Amino acid sequence: MAKQTAKRKTKETEITVGVDIENPGSVSVTTGLPFFDHILTSMAFHGGFDLQVTANGDVEVDPHHLVEDTGIVFGDCLRGYLDSGVNIRRYGHAVIPMDEALSEVTIDACGRPYLEFRAVFPQDRSGDFDMWLIREFLLALANRAMMNLHAACRYGDNSHHMAESLFKALGIALKEGFTPVPGAVRSTKGILHERGKV
Ligand SMILES: [Mn+2]
């Protein structure tokens, strides 16, 4: 199964992402937002997949554009696995703690985008990073990867711990759900996603 790559350039951001879901080879994330780099790196490292992210953008205006657009381009990479027609596991799930925090992510890489996000962060920021942006990232990711994504921080007292446990769980769930498996396409319809149709 080939590595998936995607690029996106607008007047606001320029982003390149590479993903190889089967190979835990290398993880390299440079977005200019240190906490975002930290949670994306945790996601891929603990998920056990290759990830390269290079993102530049107008973060001096608001990091919102950069974070959302990174979700778009990462999602485009993952949708490449659906478009390829290879049978994937579809479902992925993980519940991961970090100290006092516990987070849960469940996905269905089914070709129908949906996001359910539940998190009440006790601190609005971690470092300079606005916790609200996590929802923007996940929404863009679910829409572009065309997956059903349920992400919940069940509890926690520290926003950093909650976000990090959430992204570790996300990585493990993505690895499970997008990994190719033998056999026919896992849908009673016989098809998950029509190639190239959004
Ligand atoms: Mn940390």
Side-chain angles (χ1 to χ4, degrees):
M1 188 75 195
K3 179 173 181 165
Q4 304 295 323
T5 60
K7 289 183 183 178
R8 187 171 190 267
K9 187 173 192 282
T10 70
K11 289 180 179 173
E12 295 172 347
T13 64
E14 182 169 2
I15 295 165
T16 305
V17 178
V19 180
D20 189 342
I21 205 75
E22 292 180 274
N23 292 316
S26 69
V27 179
S28 165
V29 179
T30 309
T31 68
L33 300 171
F35 185 72
F36 195 36
D37 290 354
H38 178 51
I39 54 179
L40 290 178
T41 299
S42 288
M43 173 189 73
F45 181 83
H46 293 282
F49 57 87
D50 243 40
L51 176 70
Q52 289 84 43
V53 178
T54 308
N56 293 292
D58 57 351
V59 293
E60 69 284 355
V61 175
D62 186 334
H64 187 292
H65 298 151
L66 190 83
V67 172
E68 181 178 10
D69 292 357
T70 301
I72 286 173
V73 183
F74 182 39
D76 285 347
C77 286
L78 292 175
R79 200 182 65 250
Y81 289 102
L82 290 183
D83 287 342
S84 73
V86 166
N87 186 34
I88 58 172
R89 195 184 304 275
R90 256 186 85 169
Y91 303 104
H93 174 70
V95 182
I96 298 295
M98 184 168 182
D99 293 352
E100 88 299 339
L102 189 73
S103 297
E104 173 178 5
V105 173
T106 306
I107 70 160
D108 178 6
C110 60
R112 291 192 307 280
Y114 194 92
L115 174 69
E116 187 70 36
F117 179 58
R118 305 281 176 94
V120 179
F121 292 109
Q123 297 85 35
D124 290 341
R125 291 174 174 271
S126 184
D128 289 337
F129 191 84
D130 181 350
M131 306 312 289
W132 175 252
L133 295 176
I134 289 174
R135 185 182 184 280
E136 300 305 313
F137 173 80
L138 296 175
L139 182 60
L141 177 63
N143 281 333
R144 297 299 279 242
M146 299 183 76
M147 68 174 158
N148 184 331
L149 169 58
H150 288 242
C153 295
R154 286 186 182 172
Y155 48 78
D157 299 323
N158 178 292
S159 293
H160 183 134
H161 295 163
M162 292 167 72
E164 192 166 338
S165 59
L166 187 76
F167 274 73
K168 288 177 179 176
L170 176 63
I172 293 165
L174 291 176
K175 170 86 172 187
E176 271 187 15
F178 282 90
T179 291
V181 289
V185 168
R186 295 195 167 192
S187 170
T188 52
K189 296 187 180 72
I191 187 169
L192 270 183
H193 174 60
E194 292 176 73
R195 182 192 303 255
K197 292 188 179 174
V198 178

